[in-house]
Amino acid sequence: MTSAAAEAPACTSDEMMTVTASRALRDGSACFVGIGLPSTAANLARRTHAPGLWMIYESGTLGATPSVLPLSIGDGELAETADTVVSVPEVFNYWLQPGRIDTGFLGAAQIDRYGNINTTVIGDYGAPKVRLPGAGGAPEIAANCREVVVIVRQSRRAFVESVDFTTSVGHGSGPGDRERLGLRGAGPTRVITDLGVLEPDPRTRELTLTSVHPGTTVQQVREATGWDLAVSADLRTTPAPDPHELAVLRSLTGRTPPTHDGRQGTR
């Protein structure tokens, strides 16, 4: 083992994904945060490199600074720590729809090669195999935020050729679709997974692998994708989390460091 490998902090694939997603958020920006992995990544960013990140949750909490991860958008911790609490219509009509929010941070049950998201049903809408939580504010977030960052674990079940139901429009069927539909924002600019990072090709708008996480191969990413995944000619390796990022993340999630065999403990 080299000295660099010995010094590198061990982390799980979920930790790698969450840290990478947190780095996508800029200090001083306004971020519309979804519950789950997006919330974890946003709260990590606020505690590390982006202390001025202004977090907005769909329930109407503006500038929330929770001391623990919220369990839902209705968690009292959000209202207690927010700069102010407004009505849900005001969040959408005044903040989101006019394009005042920099980054929308979303998850997905399914995502396709153009970044379209499904959180509604798996299977036929009339007789679904699985009924998912639904749209919530995601369609408006995907339409109107200046950019959208998606965080989702990568598998053929999630990364599909075509979503079963388009809950939130990404880049539609290719170039020009967002403009044709009158969508204000740039759409998904990054899809961050437990294997790597995908970004839309500037010309085709198709998601393209631009970065692989340490220890992951291009073949592994392709095998976890339901279409013939394009790979950037300038493919990079994602920088590994540093010890401070991991310590803060684990304090948020209540997890202990992984053992040498990769298993994760809990407190």
Side-chain angles (χ1 to χ4, degrees), residues 189-240:
T189 56
R190 264 172 286 194
V191 177
I192 297 168
T193 82
D194 51 344
L195 300 178
V197 180
L198 291 75
E199 300 178 55
D201 180 88
R203 182 178 59 85
T204 66
R205 311 314 295 165
E206 182 175 329
L207 293 179
T208 300
L209 182 65
T210 58
S211 178
V212 291
H213 297 334
T216 302
T217 66
V218 170
Q219 184 62 25
Q220 285 176 305
V221 183
R222 281 182 160 157
E223 288 174 354
T225 307
W227 66 86
D228 186 12
L229 179 64
V231 179
S232 171
D234 188 29
L235 184 67
R236 305 179 298 275
T237 298
T238 314

Side-chain angles (χ1 to χ4, degrees), residues 61-146:
T61 54
L62 308 181
T65 58
S67 59
V68 296
L69 291 178
L71 298 176
S72 71
I73 60 171
D75 195 318
E77 177 74 8
L78 295 175
E80 290 172 7
T81 62
D83 292 333
T84 188
V85 180
V86 301
S87 68
V88 172
E90 182 173 336
V91 170
F92 284 86
N93 295 339
Y94 181 79
W95 291 98
L96 186 56
Q97 291 173 350
R100 291 188 167 96
I101 298 176
D102 299 301
T103 306
F105 218 172
L106 294 175
Q110 285 184 332
I111 187 167
D112 68 19
R113 66 170 67 217
Y114 292 109
N116 302 302
I117 291 172
N118 174 22
T119 56
T120 303
V121 294
I122 301 297
D124 180 77
Y125 184 81
K129 298 176 183 176
V130 178
R131 191 170 294 281
L132 300 168
E140 295 282 355
I141 295 168
N144 295 298
C145 287
R146 292 171 185 166

Side-chain angles (χ1 to χ4, degrees), residues 9-22 37 44 194 241 245-247 249-250 253 255-258 264:
C11 68
T12 67
S13 56
D14 270 11
E15 288 175 332
M16 183 74 221
M17 171 174 59
T18 305
V19 169
T20 303
S22 77
L37 290 171
L44 173 61
D194 51 344
E245 289 171 318
L246 285 178
L249 175 58
R250 288 164 182 169
T253 59
R255 291 177 179 172
T256 57
Q264 181 79 51

